[in-house]
Amino acid sequence: MSSVSCHYVLAAGGTGGHLTPAFALAAELEKRGHHVALITDKRGSEIPGKPDFLPAHVLPAGRFGKNPLRWPTGISAVLQGRGMAKRLYETFQPSAVIGFGGYPALPALLAASSAGIPTIIHEQNAVLGRVNRLLSGRVSAIATAYPDVQRLKGKYAPKTHLVGNPVRPEVLALRDEEFPAFTADGLFRVLVTGGSQGARILSEVVPDALSMLQPALRSRLQITQQCRPEDLERVRDRYAEYAIPAELGTYFEDMQNRLADTHLFIGRAGASTIAELTAVGRPAILIPLPIATDDHQTANAREMVKAGGARSIRQAMATVPNPDDASGTKANAMRHRQADLFQKMAKDISKQIQAMAQHPETLATAAHAAWNCGRPDAAEKLADLVESFGATPIQDVIRVGAKTARGSTRNATASQGAAKDSNS
């Protein structure tokens, strides 16, 4: 742990998957006495969970889709954001800039590189994301959440560090608690979440899957499920039809408390989801989002599945065209096809639930396997890596009052390293 107070900038795209680990790192760095600022976009500035001490700077972030005609607009936004970031660095003087992926991180890291400021990227998924892939060759260090990360070139191994994916402190606090008692005649509590993109398919298939369980297990169910607002009433009616007790909501503020009581999780395989399940030790049935970039959710699930902490079910093309977009015979055929796919998924999920919950010890064993996959010290390890780019006390003196202090600081460090090598 550094005894010097430094300045660090975190840059993260506007999704919870990028911002949650950034918030966790910010809390750890602030606890160590450092000053931290956040660069994000407008959407990111509205994500809940940002620590009160963390100032957010909203920068334009260009997006680069498949249509080349839109690239000039994206490039213009990146250049504008890079200029704004450079002006921020002149005032804030960060010892390092840490990117967590997403397009808003791109101008922040490009500005840092051009200013000679050390840069670190953190990859939450088991596949290197597009922005991190673009920047991996020029950054000072790469931090990963998984031992094996696809699309990360082998030549970058010397600067790659496995740290894990930082999770919220309130979730991490559950790690030392026992897996909730699961007996042959007690309640069977199931938590179902899917995020904004994944909740619809789960709303379609999970109630049916639970209705297919053997009566002895089905009678013990207690469900908590996240749904999209437009799905709430339909899902509530479905559970009522099956006489299965269920609490539904579009968002649960006390998710950590619900996770604490959960015997089985059903949901997507996003990076933050996997990190929290393994930090706490909760068995899961994972249904990777098939349209996730580079199919990274399937890759995310592999470690937990291989360890025995989860089962993975591939979503049969749920991207079937919407029957509402067609008419007549074609629409009816599409509805039948969609219904068949949903029914097949429901049967697969039901089969896996029955296999995992048939005996109390099976779930407990899976919970322990999930727990063993956790990396609870991810925030600390990432903070240690970040601090390795902090200034020493003598360098702080050099930096103050010198317009080119940052370059002077690095030259001094290089000279000291060279002298040490020549004397050894």
Side-chain angles (χ1 to χ4, degrees), residues 45 76 81 104 132 141 177 182 251 269 295 330 348 386 392 410:
S45 67
S76 176
N132 282 348
E177 295 186 8
F182 180 66
Y251 179 75
D295 197 22
K330 183 177 181 181
D348 289 345
V386 169
T392 64
R410 288 199 184 78

Side-chain angles (χ1 to χ4, degrees), residues 405-416:
R406 185 150 306 281
S408 302
T409 297
R410 288 199 184 78
N411 291 337
T413 304
S415 299
Q416 290 166 6

Side-chain angles (χ1 to χ4, degrees), residues 154-217:
K155 65 182 180 180
Y156 300 140
K159 64 177 180 180
T160 300
H161 307 263
L162 173 63
V163 301
N165 194 12
V167 301
R168 297 171 293 153
E170 57 268 28
V171 172
L172 193 58
L174 301 174
R175 183 166 175 83
D176 294 330
E177 295 186 8
E178 294 290 333
F179 180 64
F182 180 66
T183 61
D185 56 359
L187 285 177
F188 177 29
R189 290 185 289 270
V190 179
L191 175 64
V192 186
T193 73
S196 59
Q197 296 185 78
R200 178 176 179 267
I201 184 67
L202 299 179
S203 294
E204 291 285 351
V205 302
V206 172
D208 288 348
L210 295 169
S211 75
M212 297 175 188
L213 295 174
Q214 294 176 5
L217 184 59

